[in-house]
Amino acid sequence: MPEAKPTPAPAESPRKFLNASLLDAAQGRMPARAPVWIMRQAGRYLADYRRVRALFPNFLDFCRSPEHVAEVTIQPVDQIGVDAAILFSDILVLLPPMGLQVEFQEKRGPVVANPLRDDAVIAALPDGDLNSELGYVFEGIRLSKKALGNRVPLIGFAGGPFTVASYMVEGGSSKELARLKSLLFSRPEVFTTLIGKLASVTSCYLREQVRQGADVITIMDSWAGYLGPHEYRSLVFPHTRKIIADIKAEFPQVPVVHYANGAPHLLPHFAQLGADVLGLDWRIDLGDALRAYPEQIFQGNLDPCALYASPQQIAARVKALKAEVGGRAHIYNLGHGILPDIPPDHARAFVDAVHEQS
Ligand code: CP3
């Protein structure tokens, strides 16, 4: 008897969606209706999220419960009408497999108990494939895909290496990233060891996400804009480009989105990363970005605070955004995560305005 062939990874068979507008736009096709999703769309502004969140005193335990992950991943698809689901997880789930203990505190956000303060510890960090310790993420992807059926694509994600390194070295959120940048400027070879290891772990992790069902990959290098062009180009860009090249080599059809916050000065470099889509925040005029990079697909870039305004004002703001986009393929989104006190009706008003005006 010949051995049974392993089931092909879902990524190898064409996936058909009832609503493929996000994939269309990401690949440069004009979708029938403009796609929109919301950064942090599975989050505290939704009462049903807070209900599930309350079951877990520890945020990471929540991330480690695939049934609950799938439940909150599809909530914004059902309740807000977005055109994609994003896996509920966090960029910092990579820390424990790398030997760093992280805890999410109510007021302070992530806190790392053993931040990287010693070059020898960085040299000894693991490298390569840590996927065996992240099985709960992949199970969350499989269950989310099941719950979504073929309605909309599922976005998988990881942090960009600079942003994940910032939490590992600073020990939590930080205003200036002074410790990480001190490492970069004073001992660039140690910085490079750290970023290189993160890039190799992240490359393995993201490709496994695709094998398990993710239809789109987002790399969130939120804090890359803390760097000037010279340091970004020489010390971070090659590593992010390698992650994207690895994904593209294995899955040429899977769109990759790169997001950074407050980094319009790095756009010339982001445009060369090999990403299909660049996520922008609100500090740049979309029309200017599109004029500078006419072939580039962008995502964004409504100010998250715009959702405090009335639904009518939100619709007017979307109209202005649409005028900047000028009929090109575009993925509508906020320029950063939705804030926890935004009324869900206002999130719906944003999504409806994008849909109705296209
Ligand atoms: O977008 C989604 O809905 C998917 C889930 C998601 C979370 N975090 C859940 C989360 C995603 C994509 C992230 C990414 C993430 N996490 C980033 C990159 C994007 C960005 O926002 O810049 C970063 C920098 C983090 C790190 C992180 N996680 C911080 C700084 C915090 C604390 C601040 C905060 O918002 O509370 C988190 C916690 C976190 N991650 C929450 C959620 C829903 C809130 C925790 C809670 O529900 O108690």
Side-chain angles (χ1 to χ4, degrees), residues 40-42 44 49 53 59 89-91 157 167 222 336:
R40 295 279 178 105
Q41 64 186 17
R44 287 162 291 188
Y49 171 89
R53 173 76 178 89
F59 177 74
S89 186
D90 198 84
I91 64 166
F157 72 93
Y167 292 96
S222 301
H336 205 183

Side-chain angles (χ1 to χ4, degrees), residues 56-71:
F56 298 91
N58 177 337
F59 177 74
L60 277 184
D61 287 343
F62 180 11
C63 294
R64 289 178 179 132
S65 174
E67 289 77 16
H68 295 100
V69 162
E71 183 181 352

Side-chain angles (χ1 to χ4, degrees), residues 57-119:
N58 177 337
F59 177 74
L60 277 184
D61 287 343
F62 180 11
C63 294
R64 289 178 179 132
S65 174
E67 289 77 16
H68 295 100
V69 162
E71 183 181 352
V72 300
T73 295
I74 67 165
Q75 281 173 1
V77 177
D78 292 336
Q79 298 184 19
I80 307 294
V82 288
D83 298 304
I86 179 161
L87 180 74
F88 180 78
S89 186
D90 198 84
I91 64 166
L92 300 181
V93 299
L94 284 185
L95 267 56
M98 295 193 79
L100 277 75
Q101 291 133 37
V102 61
E103 195 185 82
F104 290 78
Q105 297 180 2
E106 176 86 32
K107 292 253 149 58
R108 286 176 65 196
V111 176
V112 178
N114 51 340
L116 299 173
R117 293 288 153 79
D118 180 340
D119 296 357

Side-chain angles (χ1 to χ4, degrees), residues 100-330:
L100 277 75
Q101 291 133 37
V102 61
E103 195 185 82
F104 290 78
Q105 297 180 2
E106 176 86 32
K107 292 253 149 58
R108 286 176 65 196
V111 176
V112 178
N114 51 340
L116 299 173
R117 293 288 153 79
D118 180 340
D119 296 357
V121 174
I122 293 175
L125 286 174
D127 204 355
D129 184 342
L130 303 182
N131 292 338
S132 63
E133 294 180 62
L134 294 157
Y136 64 87
V137 175
F138 308 128
E139 178 66 4
I141 290 177
R142 292 191 294 269
L143 294 183
S144 298
K145 286 293 288 181
K146 222 179 261 170
L148 284 169
N150 63 347
R151 284 183 288 168
V152 293
L154 177 68
I155 303 170
F157 72 93
F162 181 76
T163 297
V164 176
S166 79
Y167 292 96
M168 295 172 92
V169 171
E170 303 288 337
S173 299
S174 149
K175 264 215 172 91
E176 309 285 347
L177 303 192
R179 283 181 192 270
L180 179 63
K181 292 177 69 176
S182 154
L183 181 68
L184 176 155
F185 283 104
S186 56
R187 300 192 302 292
E189 65 294 344
V190 180
F191 176 88
T192 294
T193 300
L194 174 57
I195 297 288
K197 287 185 177 197
L198 276 169
S200 103
V201 168
T202 302
S203 165
C204 293
Y205 177 50
L206 287 175
R207 283 178 288 141
E208 188 60 20
Q209 289 190 26
V210 178
R211 287 181 209 115
Q212 299 296 335
D215 304 295
V216 176
I217 287 297
T218 295
I219 298 173
M220 300 185 177
D221 213 356
S222 301
W223 312 136
Y226 277 75
L227 293 176
H230 179 78
E231 281 71 33
Y232 179 78
R233 181 72 192 203
S234 55
L235 294 171
V236 177
F237 173 90
H239 302 278
T240 304
R241 189 175 54 179
K242 170 77 164 64
I243 297 172
I244 295 172
D246 288 351
I247 297 169
K248 287 289 173 185
E250 193 171 337
F251 305 105
Q253 80 287 11
V254 170
V256 176
V257 182
H258 180 274
Y259 167 80
N261 183 50
H265 60 294
L266 299 180
L267 257 187
H269 306 293
F270 296 153
Q272 294 175 16
L273 281 170
D276 300 274
V277 179
L278 298 180
L280 301 173
D281 84 347
W282 60 96
R283 295 174 182 89
I284 184 165
D285 181 288
L286 268 182
D288 288 345
L290 282 158
R291 272 183 293 280
Y293 302 94
E295 305 299 320
Q296 180 68 57
I297 312 293
F298 290 105
Q299 171 183 284
N301 70 345
L302 190 70
D303 188 326
C305 290
L307 296 191
Y308 285 120
S310 70
Q312 294 74 16
Q313 289 169 312
I314 293 168
R317 196 58 197 78
V318 168
K319 197 171 175 189
L321 213 53
K322 291 224 160 186
E324 290 175 27
V325 170
R328 276 166 286 201
H330 183 75

